[in-house]
Amino acid sequence: MKKITLIIIIIFLNFSYSQNQYTPSVENLEARKWFEEARFGLFIHWGVYSILGDGEWVMNNQNISIKEYEKLPGFFNPTDFDAEKWVLMAKNAGMKYITITSRHHDGFSMFDSKASSYNIVKKTPYKKDILKMLSEACNKHNIKLFFYYSQLDWYRDDYFPRGRTGNGISGRGEGNWDDYISFMKAQLTELLTNYGKIGGIWFDGQWDQHDWDGKRFGGINVDFKLREVYDLIHKLQPQALIGSNHHLAPQEGEDFQMFEKDLPGRSTMSFATSEEDIGNLPFEVCETINGSWGFNLKDRKHKSEKELIQYLIKAAGYGSNLLLNVGPMPNGKIQDEHLQSLKKIGKWVEKNGSTIYKTKRGPIEPTDEIASTQNGNTIYIHMLNDKKLNVLIDGFKMKFKKITYLNSNKKVSYQRTKNGILIYLDKKEIDPIDTIIKVDL
Ligand code: FHN
């Protein structure tokens, strides 16, 4: 009898262990390595909301009722959309992957979905699956494709109990939460079966169901069945990387950790992931090219070439990828200001990409003025303040063979100090965006 009880306990323990402990597959670990080396991706927020030119939250912000919002798909006809142009735009900017919104909080699916007829093929005059076209173009040009997927939904009745947002939208019903989970599983299965091998799934919206005191996310009020959903994804495509923008510590089954408009640990946003919640998965920082995610006609906060390139460098200095967002217009085109910025970034990356791709976080503590990256025995110090000629790097005591300017190959003057090194930059070598110093160990 005792023996039987012991066997039952062992079986139970094994079962609960395998239920909780996520062991990434070999393919997944390889994909993580690729992801960390890629360093730069394009984020795309595109949906029927682009017609209103007021960002992707317009349904919530203007309290547009379900019935009113349902008219939008009828106007969505992006005849100028050219998947290959988008992919080449990203590739020429030095980006290695694209993450696009398959369904945002408005609940409208930008792909052909059997699980919901509220989708681009069934409800718009355009009638075409943009994800399909994009996946084909990505395949052709060797760019990986990730799908953003919103767990929050302002449209469906079965997203019930509702969360903290969208409560001014009239016409929302009161359905059954389990149906919502089944619906999400069905859609994710479509996304993981109909578009070839994908890069991964970028979840967003879990925070809608967490308590929030304006500073920290608290307990969750529903069960998103995360492990079931994550396991389903990994079963369908083991290499697919899962990340979730919940702003919390990584959860079992996730493969990378993301930081929204914030460098890891800098906590510049109210919802920032706190320092103690930073894990050891690959990092990705996402940021907008202007001030909005979805197309916003009146957004004039276009970031400068310098800001954008320096953000890419800073992210790399934290050992993180940058996922830079554009919000395409309703006609399927990208705003000219953004096309120009991406071209400029591309030029910089073409010349200096070796200091970013395939690097890890360097040995120098990142600040607003300095970032460092490392590839094997080479350290790259990125000097981001073009006004400072004497730069003290406290704590940098490493022995090295050579220290030169990357551009000219000329030697850099320096002096060892008690706690680090004082670098004397040559005015002639200063680059207004980034003066790169190469240190050979
Ligand atoms: O609400 C979304 C927002 O629209 C956008 O998708 C960003 C991207 O990181 N995430 C949410 C806000 O945290």
Side-chain angles (χ1 to χ4, degrees):
M1 187 62 192
K2 260 189 186 167
K3 209 172 163 189
I4 292 172
T5 318
L6 194 69
I7 288 169
I8 291 173
I9 289 173
I10 288 171
I11 290 173
F12 174 75
L13 281 178
N14 265 336
F15 180 70
S16 55
Y17 179 80
S18 60
Q19 283 283 297
N20 295 322
Q21 179 98 28
Y22 161 57
T23 313
S25 63
V26 176
E27 297 95 310
N28 193 279
L29 293 173
E30 273 168 16
R32 288 183 192 193
K33 187 168 179 286
W34 168 86
F35 183 75
E36 284 202 283
E37 292 182 348
R39 280 291 174 258
F40 195 21
L42 178 71
F43 209 177
I44 303 177
H45 274 69
W46 201 31
V48 293
Y49 45 76
S50 59
I51 294 164
L52 299 175
D54 194 13
E56 77 290 355
W57 270 63
V58 62
M59 186 181 192
N60 171 88
N61 295 353
Q62 293 188 19
N63 286 330
I64 303 175
S65 72
I66 298 281
K67 255 195 155 163
E68 289 158 349
Y69 202 89
E70 275 177 338
K71 292 185 180 146
L72 283 183
F75 311 139
F76 191 72
N77 197 10
T79 45
D80 290 329
F81 169 68
D82 182 335
E84 198 159 5
K85 265 195 188 156
W86 284 14
V87 171
L88 288 174
M89 170 191 77
K91 193 167 178 154
N92 293 335
M95 293 153 159
K96 306 289 184 196
Y97 61 100
I98 294 178
T99 304
I100 185 164
T101 45
S102 63
R103 181 173 135 271
H104 205 266
H105 312 332
D106 66 351
F108 189 77
S109 301
M110 293 294 281
F111 61 102
D112 190 10
S113 173
K114 292 205 165 50
S116 162
S117 61
Y118 196 48
N119 74 54
I120 189 163
V121 176
K122 310 251 166 35
K123 297 284 186 222
T124 73
Y126 190 60
K127 293 189 171 35
K128 285 183 240 168
D129 183 339
I130 58 138
L131 296 195
K132 191 83 182 176
M133 293 186 260
L134 208 53
S135 69
E136 284 161 9
C138 279
N139 231 348
K140 183 168 165 195
H141 295 287
N142 197 22
I143 292 285
K144 281 207 198 318
L145 185 62
F146 288 66
F147 295 132
Y148 169 109
Y149 192 79
S150 176
Q151 292 153 305
L152 147 63
D153 194 299
W154 293 323
Y155 182 78
R156 292 181 64 88
D157 291 352
D158 51 18
Y159 184 76
F160 190 83
R162 294 177 203 135
R164 288 180 290 106
T165 65
N167 290 308
I169 297 167
S170 55
R172 295 176 80 186
E174 300 189 358
N176 182 303
W177 183 257
D178 289 339
D179 293 344
Y180 185 62
I181 298 292
S182 309
F183 155 74
M184 283 204 296
K185 284 183 181 167
Q187 278 212 321
L188 287 162
T189 304
E190 293 175 335
L191 290 172
L192 283 134
T193 10
N194 300 340
Y195 302 90
K197 234 184 183 183
I198 65 159
I201 301 288
W202 206 103
F203 284 109
D204 198 0
Q206 184 185 313
W207 41 262
D208 190 49
Q209 295 284 355
H210 278 274
D211 295 332
W212 168 247
D213 62 7
K215 284 192 193 119
R216 263 193 92 85
F217 290 102
I220 191 159
N221 303 313
V222 292
D223 184 358
F224 276 107
K225 305 264 178 198
L226 292 183
R227 271 315 292 281
E228 276 178 42
V229 171
Y230 292 174
D231 287 351
L232 169 74
I233 293 169
H234 285 139
K235 196 179 103 208
L236 291 168
Q237 294 202 21
Q239 88 296 338
L241 300 177
I242 298 175
S244 179
N245 190 30
H246 43 50
H247 312 288
L248 304 166
Q251 293 166 23
E252 279 295 314
E254 293 171 6
D255 304 303
F256 65 101
Q257 186 170 16
M258 51 184 75
F259 301 85
E260 181 177 334
K261 288 180 159 289
D262 201 33
L263 295 163
R266 286 294 283 274
S267 297
T268 46
M269 306 302 288
S270 58
F271 50 71
T273 309
S274 54
E275 203 147 1
E276 67 265 24
D277 285 338
I278 298 181
N280 49 16
L281 296 177
F283 294 162
E284 185 191 66
V285 168
C286 60
E287 182 51 288
T288 49
I289 199 161
N290 50 357
S292 323
W293 297 105
F295 174 58
N296 188 330
L297 192 62
K298 289 194 286 182
D299 186 340
R300 295 162 199 138
K301 294 186 194 139
H302 308 292
K303 295 190 175 75
S304 67
E305 174 191 9
K306 182 170 178 164
E307 280 175 290
L308 294 169
I309 295 173
Q310 288 201 345
Y311 207 63
L312 171 65
I313 298 163
K314 285 179 186 176
Y318 277 87
S320 172
N321 290 7
L322 171 64
L323 185 64
L324 181 63
N325 181 77
V326 294
M329 298 186 284
N331 60 0
K333 284 189 167 171
I334 312 286
Q335 288 176 245
D336 201 47
E337 299 92 326
H338 301 166
L339 288 176
Q340 298 316 319
S341 297
L342 292 173
K343 275 191 188 148
K344 289 177 189 158
I345 300 175
K347 273 197 174 153
W348 186 90
V349 172
E350 202 181 358
K351 191 167 160 220
N352 304 300
S354 62
T355 69
I356 300 285
Y357 302 126
K358 296 191 177 176
T359 61
K360 57 176 192 172
R361 181 190 170 118
I364 300 166
E365 194 53 35
T367 66
D368 271 344
E369 300 188 343
I370 298 184
S372 70
T373 51
Q374 182 164 1
N375 188 346
N377 281 334
T378 310
I379 294 170
Y380 300 101
I381 308 179
H382 301 261
M383 300 287 191
L384 306 176
N385 182 348
D386 59 340
K387 305 282 174 298
K388 226 177 182 175
L389 291 180
N390 299 344
V391 186
L392 177 69
I393 308 177
D394 250 349
F396 188 79
K397 291 182 174 175
M398 287 170 115
K399 281 194 183 139
F400 51 79
K401 289 188 189 131
K402 217 165 105 188
I403 180 162
T404 51
Y405 292 99
L406 182 75
N407 265 340
S408 66
N409 228 357
K410 282 194 188 139
K411 280 194 180 146
V412 174
S413 312
Y414 68 91
Q415 192 188 331
R416 293 277 189 188
T417 64
K418 204 168 144 210
N419 293 321
I421 187 169
L422 180 59
I423 293 190
Y424 302 106
L425 293 173
D426 179 348
K427 217 173 175 182
K428 283 184 277 177
E429 296 289 337
I430 295 289
D431 180 293
I433 292 179
D434 181 17
T435 306
I436 308 173
I437 290 175
K438 186 171 173 254
V439 183
D440 292 297
L441 298 178

